Amino acid sequence: MYKPTRRVVAFSMLAVLAACGRPPSKFRAYNGPAVTQVVVNKGERKLYLLNDRTVLKAYDVGLGNEPVGHKQFEGDGKTPEGVYYIDRFNPRSQYHLSVGVSYPNENDTALAQALGRKPGGDIFIHGWGPDGNRLAPNRRDWTAGCIAVRDDEIEEVYAMLRPGVPIVINP
């Protein structure tokens, strides 16, 4: 019968303890069907990841702190409406992880300029992070115009999306 030496037992216990001390990674792997479109229905507070017409995942979302209507200018607290594209990924976001939306487009810029304002930018799908963990339980729409999901959900979204995927944001 095999009897492990003290050294083998000690190294085994160290390995177990080392594995327990690491925080889980926020970066997930995804090997399912490609996401071909993101749809956000602001009125429903829902985000859908689709492969063609098949919904792969659906999430409840929080929006800008002024959720009704299309974003018109920087600082209005509104989430844009229209067709945009996923254009960047931020692994060091203050909101856990974030995925960039290509707002503003030419029409958005022209509208803001007609109002004598700047269109703003930095619209993301992002997690809650510390701000959301403080605000979201008491207030559903708390962002400055972004689309927020829980931190564990943005990990899935971040893994599933690729640059260039269209995002349709409906009223």
Side-chain angles (χ1 to χ4, degrees):
M1 176 152 113
Y2 172 73
K3 185 173 179 176
T5 64
R6 286 184 190 164
R7 179 176 279 175
V8 169
V9 171
F11 282 123
S12 297
M13 290 181 74
L14 283 173
V16 168
L17 288 173
C20 291
R22 288 189 198 136
S25 175
K26 62 184 178 180
F27 301 105
R28 298 188 186 187
Y30 176 71
N31 61 3
V35 174
T36 58
Q37 185 178 42
V38 179
V39 174
V40 175
N41 291 335
K42 289 172 53 176
E44 296 174 15
R45 303 301 193 279
K46 286 285 197 182
L47 179 147
Y48 300 95
L49 301 180
L50 291 91
N51 173 273
D52 295 322
R53 293 184 172 187
T54 302
V55 174
L56 300 173
K57 285 287 202 170
Y59 303 94
D60 292 326
V61 299
L63 302 170
N65 56 34
E66 295 291 335
V68 177
H70 175 59
K71 183 165 195 61
Q72 295 182 7
F73 52 84
E74 184 174 63
D76 66 5
K78 296 180 185 264
T79 301
E81 296 171 359
V83 179
Y84 300 94
Y85 297 90
I86 300 304
D87 66 353
R88 61 203 182 278
F89 292 78
N90 183 358
R92 291 181 289 283
S93 171
Q94 67 182 354
Y95 298 103
H96 195 59
L97 292 169
S98 59
V99 178
V101 176
S102 64
Y103 175 89
N105 61 29
E106 289 179 17
N107 292 335
D108 299 320
T109 301
L111 173 62
Q113 287 175 343
L115 297 170
R117 307 290 292 266
K118 295 179 182 176
D122 284 340
I123 300 297
F124 287 88
I125 302 167
H126 61 65
W128 282 9
D131 286 348
N133 285 318
R134 182 173 46 83
L135 296 171
N138 301 316
R139 188 172 172 195
R140 182 173 205 164
D141 299 318
W142 56 272
T143 75
C146 294
I147 300 157
V149 295
R150 292 189 331 256
D151 288 349
D152 61 318
E153 295 170 333
I154 193 60
E155 291 176 5
E156 293 176 344
V157 171
Y158 192 94
M160 293 174 76
L161 290 179
R162 298 292 173 258
V165 171
I167 175 169
V168 178
I169 306 173
N170 297 310

